[in-house]
Amino acid sequence: MTSKVKVESGLQLLARLTKKPQLENFYPLLFGTGPKAGNIIEIYSENSTNCLLADLIAESLIPLELGGSGASVVIFSTDGNLDLEYILNFCKNKLKSPSRKNCQNLQSNIETLVHAVLRNIYIFNIYDTTQFYVTIQNLENLLSNNSNISLVVFDTLTAFYWCEQSFKIIKMDLYIKKILNVIWKIVKDYNVTVMYTRSEHFSSSKELIENLEMCGEQSKEAILNYRIQITYNENGTHHVNIRTHDKQFRKEFLLKEDEICWL
């Protein structure tokens, strides 16, 4: 009887052993003690997902000494709605919050914050399908050369769906699964969390839904760990629905200028 031995490259070994900022406990209101390294988070809405996405990115970028995670973030921006200034505004507003620690010297802290964000954020503006896949393939080099990266964001994952369709139309749900598996093969050895957005009319595949139910099991394919739906109400009070493999709950919020206020 022969046994199979898993052989890993030097880069994979370094990625596995390198200590990096962890996103666990960084946003307990939505994720509890998660998300863990290797988790995949889906955010979708009929309207914009920008406010929540920017808020999550901001919480990741805020330095440790100012009460944040101090992580580096890679953003694939395919629709141009998520820019550096918008994210910085969310970061600054978080720092001004009365609940935030270490806010005595606000101006000094904001300067520290800006320097940290500029040092730890990587934004790739993607304009076509070819550029999208080429940049994804180059992601491994970026991850291997920057051990501080803990979060990889795709906004939106489905931007080039129609451009890729020819005589044989790929179903929207299968298209999402295909791209996630391409991404997963690249990032799975680097202990990062993946977050992506999609329009609500892009339904996730049956397989991904089943995987959400079994996300504690090992898999060679991408597994969806969190699904977050944003709903905007006319009365100004909005909410998110969060689903994991073992629970589902709802949180309400108000949206002020570049700031989410949870109720």
Side-chain angles (χ1 to χ4, degrees), residues 11 13-20 22 147-148 190-191:
L11 285 177
L13 176 62
L14 287 173
R16 183 167 57 82
L17 298 179
T18 299
K19 187 176 181 179
K20 63 172 62 187
Q22 295 298 313
S147 61
N148 204 49
Y190 290 91
N191 296 322

Side-chain angles (χ1 to χ4, degrees), residues 102-141:
N102 303 318
C103 60
Q104 291 84 355
N105 192 343
L106 184 59
Q107 186 56 42
S108 175
N109 287 345
I110 286 179
E111 291 177 3
T112 300
L113 169 70
V114 171
H115 286 301
V117 170
L118 293 177
R119 185 173 61 249
N120 291 317
I121 193 169
Y122 304 84
I123 301 179
F124 296 96
N125 292 310
I126 312 295
Y127 301 103
D128 58 51
T129 302
T130 301
Q131 188 181 18
F132 182 59
Y133 285 105
V134 169
T135 310
I136 288 176
Q137 292 303 323
N138 286 327
L139 177 59
E140 184 168 10
N141 291 330

Side-chain angles (χ1 to χ4, degrees), residues 179-197:
I179 297 181
L180 280 180
N181 281 329
V182 170
I183 295 168
W184 177 246
K185 289 177 182 177
I186 294 171
V187 306
K188 62 185 177 65
D189 294 315
Y190 290 91
N191 296 322
V192 298
T193 299
V194 175
M195 191 178 296
Y196 73 90
T197 64

